[in-house]
Amino acid sequence: SSCLAIPRKQWYQRRVRGMWKVPAFETKTIQLSSNPPVDAKFLSTNRHLVVGYQDGTIKIIDLKSGEATVSVDTKQEITCIGVSPDDKLVLTGSPLSAAYLVAIQAGKVISRLTEHPAGYRPMETSPSDSVEHVVFHPSRNLVAVSYTDNKVCLWDTALQRLRHTLPHPDGVVKSCWAGEALHLVTCCLDGVIRVWDVDQNQTIAEVTGHRDQLLDMKISDNLVVTADDSGHVKVFRIS
């Protein structure tokens, strides 16, 4: 069986995280913070859950006991989180164009990944540059960070430095690695799915068919499922 971890939205004012066990449909509610959970990811064993809270706190929760085994305060509002395949690192996104790399075992922030200097604050008239999504490569020290200001940045997590920037015509809401290869699939607000060869820093395919902003996507083998703001869901095949 498997579990789905679903954050309750802030407007529910319940500050809890609900879990549904599939296919038994058993439920469990964990409440460990007065702040709303924003995102959550399972560790590879499926016995622990990493939860990012809006106030900047990350908690590693033992699903059997319901208690937090690790708690780290990144001191920055969290918009999304990602977990490395070896369960050693967590990356959190923030509204101010920065991502924070957390070492789980050490229980602390080890790096701030951003193109901006410390203390950066955008002007009120500047477009949003929030981090929308982060995803680790399944086998390399590489993480893709998607931003609302029309780009995806590829960061080397071992060297903690920027490797490439992939420009887009609009904000990017999600990125997914296509298997073990250095091919990245990006989901953009302009309604286009793009496949990138990140070694060459160029697109190798574009998939169109939506007439509205894309909100989410999921990859399974060579199929991409997308959902847009008008309520349409489409399935595309990529080679």
Side-chain angles (χ1 to χ4, degrees):
S1 61
S2 58
C3 290
L4 298 175
I6 302 179
R8 301 292 179 90
K9 298 297 185 181
Q10 185 175 0
W11 49 81
Y12 279 100
Q13 300 295 317
R14 291 200 52 188
R15 309 302 193 256
V16 297
R17 175 158 293 276
M19 294 198 309
W20 281 258
K21 188 175 182 181
V22 182
F25 292 103
E26 300 172 7
T27 64
K28 183 176 184 179
T29 300
I30 298 172
Q31 184 171 4
L32 295 177
S33 174
S34 60
N35 284 279
V38 175
D39 198 2
K41 297 289 187 296
F42 286 104
L43 296 185
S44 60
T45 61
N46 288 329
R47 296 176 181 175
H48 291 81
L49 187 70
V50 184
V51 182
Y53 294 87
Q54 191 178 62
D55 69 341
T57 304
I58 296 171
K59 294 182 184 293
I60 313 295
I61 300 173
D62 183 311
L63 295 179
K64 184 175 182 180
S65 67
E67 299 297 322
T69 59
V70 176
S71 182
V72 180
D73 185 2
T74 67
K75 303 186 184 305
Q76 295 292 331
E77 181 181 342
I78 290 175
T79 56
C80 56
I81 65 171
V83 180
S84 64
D86 60 5
D87 294 342
K88 293 182 178 180
L89 299 172
V90 175
L91 190 68
T92 69
S94 79
L96 298 178
S97 192
Y100 293 84
L101 195 61
V102 177
I104 292 179
Q105 188 170 5
K108 64 179 183 180
V109 177
I110 59 174
S111 184
R112 174 177 176 266
L113 306 180
T114 182
E115 298 177 283
H116 300 289
Y120 161 77
R121 290 278 174 180
M123 298 176 60
E124 290 186 4
T125 56
S126 299
S128 170
D129 56 1
S130 172
V131 175
E132 288 294 291
H133 185 258
V134 298
V135 59
F136 286 83
H137 189 275
S139 61
R140 305 203 184 193
N141 296 321
L142 196 62
V143 63
V145 181
S146 303
Y147 301 81
T148 56
D149 62 338
N150 309 359
K151 67 187 178 186
V152 175
C153 287
L154 303 172
W155 295 90
D156 186 314
T157 55
L159 301 177
Q160 297 167 16
R161 70 182 186 192
L162 181 64
R163 282 186 53 178
H164 296 297
T165 298
L166 309 178
H168 289 69
D170 209 334
V172 184
V173 297
K174 192 171 185 178
S175 302
C176 296
W177 295 101
E180 299 287 332
L182 285 176
H183 290 165
L184 185 72
V185 184
T186 60
C187 176
C188 187
L189 289 175
D190 68 348
V192 179
I193 297 292
R194 292 173 176 85
V195 184
W196 296 79
D197 182 331
V198 301
D199 258 349
Q200 301 298 320
N201 200 26
Q202 64 183 15
T203 55
I204 55 177
E206 291 189 354
V207 181
T208 60
H210 284 276
R211 297 182 179 180
D212 213 328
Q213 293 182 334
L214 291 176
L215 300 180
D216 201 3
M217 73 171 177
K218 184 71 174 178
I219 293 180
S220 178
D221 296 325
N222 64 338
L223 296 179
V224 179
V225 181
T226 56
D228 69 23
D229 201 26
S230 64
H232 290 89
V233 175
K234 295 180 181 290
V235 181
F236 301 97
R237 187 181 302 275
I238 57 175
S239 58

Tab-separated table of all heavy atoms in Angstrom, residues 11 49 55 68 71 149 228:
chain	number	residue	atom	x	y	z
A	11	TRP	N	-6.530	28.750	3.975
A	11	TRP	CA	-7.856	29.298	4.239
A	11	TRP	C	-8.751	28.336	5.023
A	11	TRP	O	-9.813	28.704	5.466
A	11	TRP	CB	-8.524	29.719	2.940
A	11	TRP	CG	-8.496	28.700	1.852
A	11	TRP	CD1	-9.322	27.631	1.692
A	11	TRP	CD2	-7.571	28.647	0.754
A	11	TRP	NE1	-8.990	26.918	0.576
A	11	TRP	CE2	-7.914	27.522	-0.029
A	11	TRP	CE3	-6.493	29.443	0.364
A	11	TRP	CZ2	-7.221	27.176	-1.175
A	11	TRP	CZ3	-5.811	29.093	-0.783
A	11	TRP	CH2	-6.178	27.965	-1.533
A	49	LEU	N	8.186	11.626	6.738
A	49	LEU	CA	7.653	12.660	5.870
A	49	LEU	C	8.370	13.973	6.173
A	49	LEU	O	8.520	14.348	7.342
A	49	LEU	CB	6.151	12.828	6.109
A	49	LEU	CG	5.375	13.749	5.166
A	49	LEU	CD1	5.281	13.120	3.773
A	49	LEU	CD2	3.974	14.015	5.719
A	55	ASP	N	6.148	29.329	7.826
A	55	ASP	CA	7.031	30.193	8.611
A	55	ASP	C	8.510	29.901	8.395
A	55	ASP	O	9.364	30.557	9.000
A	55	ASP	CB	6.689	30.087	10.103
A	55	ASP	CG	7.043	28.729	10.700
A	55	ASP	OD1	7.216	27.758	9.923
A	55	ASP	OD2	7.137	28.630	11.939
A	68	ALA	N	8.002	14.611	15.402
A	68	ALA	CA	9.084	15.157	14.594
A	68	ALA	C	10.427	14.685	15.126
A	68	ALA	O	10.718	14.846	16.318
A	68	ALA	CB	9.019	16.678	14.600
A	71	SER	N	13.904	19.077	13.329
A	71	SER	CA	13.233	20.343	13.057
A	71	SER	C	14.296	21.396	12.758
A	71	SER	O	15.241	21.562	13.529
A	71	SER	CB	12.382	20.783	14.255
A	71	SER	OG	11.698	21.996	13.970
A	149	ASP	N	9.973	34.245	-12.451
A	149	ASP	CA	10.514	35.276	-13.339
A	149	ASP	C	11.200	34.653	-14.563
A	149	ASP	O	12.310	35.009	-14.942
A	149	ASP	CB	11.452	36.241	-12.609
A	149	ASP	CG	12.687	35.562	-12.030
A	149	ASP	OD1	12.644	34.340	-11.813
A	149	ASP	OD2	13.698	36.254	-11.806
A	228	ASP	N	-4.325	22.721	-16.959
A	228	ASP	CA	-4.237	24.170	-17.123
A	228	ASP	C	-5.311	24.900	-16.323
A	228	ASP	O	-6.166	24.283	-15.677
A	228	ASP	CB	-4.261	24.571	-18.604
A	228	ASP	CG	-5.612	24.332	-19.288
A	228	ASP	OD1	-6.645	24.268	-18.600
A	228	ASP	OD2	-5.626	24.201	-20.526
